[in-house]
Amino acid sequence: MTSIVIPAHNEGRVIGRLLDALLADSPSSGTDIVVVCNGCTDDTARVAASRGDRVRVVEIPTPSKHTALRVGDEHARGFPRLYVDADVVVGAADVRALTGALAADPALLAAAPGRDIPPTGCAWPVRAYYRVWQRLPAVREGLFGRGVIAVTEEGHKRIAALPPLMADDLAASLAFGPGERRVVEAARVVVRPPRTWSDLIRRKVRAATSSAEFERFQAGREDGPGAAPSARTGTSDLRALLRADPELLPAVVVFAAAAVAARRGARWAIRDQDFSTWLRDESSRQ
């Protein structure tokens, strides 16, 4: 049986659309869905429970995604297992495409869907930023930034061994080699971007902070600093995009400005080793 674990902290506004998509066109015996409401002060649990017996709701008092994922593992019934963020939308057919890919290739331990980022309602700098971001090699090939990752039982053992990290999806992606992970473009997930520049910067500050934490984790590994690959964007990546499409220049300037603002915003958190403050973007949850 395929299990889906959904950690949810105050996601009452959006979790219904995800659950409706997962339950549509899905046999009642086919998918085990566990929603772990962690530290919620809104109606997330009620909204999830209203979808019927096919959705099991677990409530814990601690507002922690890592804890919610581990609690979800305790209640999940089978493999392949999907971990899905509550604010994305992925459907039952997409789940089947992911699990089918894992079943078809014994070497494959983890998979994620192709990413759709609808620009409607977003300020033009946000649209410009994502024009560049979606073209970056690490973003195209990595499993992170999608809000969905599917793993086999063997793949689950690998990510379960990871410590609590803010960049949990990045760590999960880089836990697998290129031959062990795959982006399955036949499966799709809708990831709603921030609508305003300030919300984008909040999200990118969080990303910069979490990347710094992840790099410290890498440096402390027993197999030595730099043993694991990185997903950082370099100037060479941006130059390659411009060579391929010179018309991207204005968008690249916006992207670079966002990167600089994010590094500045993350500086104090990194200095103080504050890797727990979650700068949440609310505009994408409207």
Side-chain angles (χ1 to χ4, degrees), residues 39-97:
C40 291
T41 57
D42 69 349
D43 62 348
T44 300
R46 181 191 63 77
V47 173
S50 72
R51 267 51 187 183
D53 295 340
R54 294 180 60 191
V55 178
R56 292 185 290 135
V57 179
V58 180
E59 295 186 70
I60 61 174
T62 307
S64 164
K65 183 178 181 181
H66 180 81
T67 301
L69 291 171
R70 298 292 77 82
V71 170
D73 277 335
E74 293 171 3
H75 287 81
R77 293 170 176 159
F79 289 96
R81 187 164 300 169
L82 281 77
Y83 300 96
V84 181
D85 289 349
D87 61 332
V88 304
V89 178
V90 63
D94 305 298
V95 171
R96 291 193 292 270

Side-chain angles (χ1 to χ4, degrees), residues 6-166:
I6 305 172
H9 172 69
N10 289 344
E11 300 286 10
R13 287 183 292 173
V14 296
I15 195 169
R17 68 192 183 194
L18 168 62
L19 294 173
D20 290 342
L22 288 172
L23 293 170
D25 187 34
S26 175
S28 58
S29 60
T31 306
D32 167 44
I33 302 174
V34 182
V35 177
V36 184
C37 302
N38 57 104
C40 291
T41 57
D42 69 349
D43 62 348
T44 300
R46 181 191 63 77
V47 173
S50 72
R51 267 51 187 183
D53 295 340
R54 294 180 60 191
V55 178
R56 292 185 290 135
V57 179
V58 180
E59 295 186 70
I60 61 174
T62 307
S64 164
K65 183 178 181 181
H66 180 81
T67 301
L69 291 171
R70 298 292 77 82
V71 170
D73 277 335
E74 293 171 3
H75 287 81
R77 293 170 176 159
F79 289 96
R81 187 164 300 169
L82 281 77
Y83 300 96
V84 181
D85 289 349
D87 61 332
V88 304
V89 178
V90 63
D94 305 298
V95 171
R96 291 193 292 270
L98 290 172
T99 58
L102 291 175
D105 185 351
L108 201 60
L109 302 182
R115 183 195 298 109
D116 295 325
I117 302 179
T120 305
C122 296
W124 74 263
V126 175
R127 297 196 302 271
Y129 177 89
Y130 280 103
R131 281 188 68 200
V132 174
W133 187 78
Q134 292 187 87
R135 288 170 166 81
L136 296 171
V139 173
R140 293 199 314 267
E141 299 164 7
L143 307 184
F144 59 89
R146 302 172 191 274
V148 179
I149 183 170
V151 295
T152 63
E153 189 167 5
E154 187 63 31
H156 169 261
K157 293 177 183 177
R158 195 172 297 181
I159 63 174
L162 293 170
L165 293 167
M166 187 183 291

Side-chain angles (χ1 to χ4, degrees), residues 212-245:
E213 180 194 26
F214 178 70
E215 287 167 0
R216 291 189 182 194
F217 160 68
Q218 285 183 305
R221 287 161 56 101
E222 291 183 358
D223 44 0
S230 171
R232 276 195 178 272
T233 299
T235 55
S236 60
D237 297 311
L238 299 180
R239 286 197 295 267
L241 290 181
L242 287 174
R243 284 195 297 270
D245 186 357

Side-chain angles (χ1 to χ4, degrees), residues 52 74 79 99 137 198 207-208 224 238 248 252 257 279 282 286:
E74 293 171 3
F79 289 96
T99 58
S198 60
L238 299 180
L248 279 177
V252 167
L279 297 177
E282 296 292 347
Q286 296 174 4

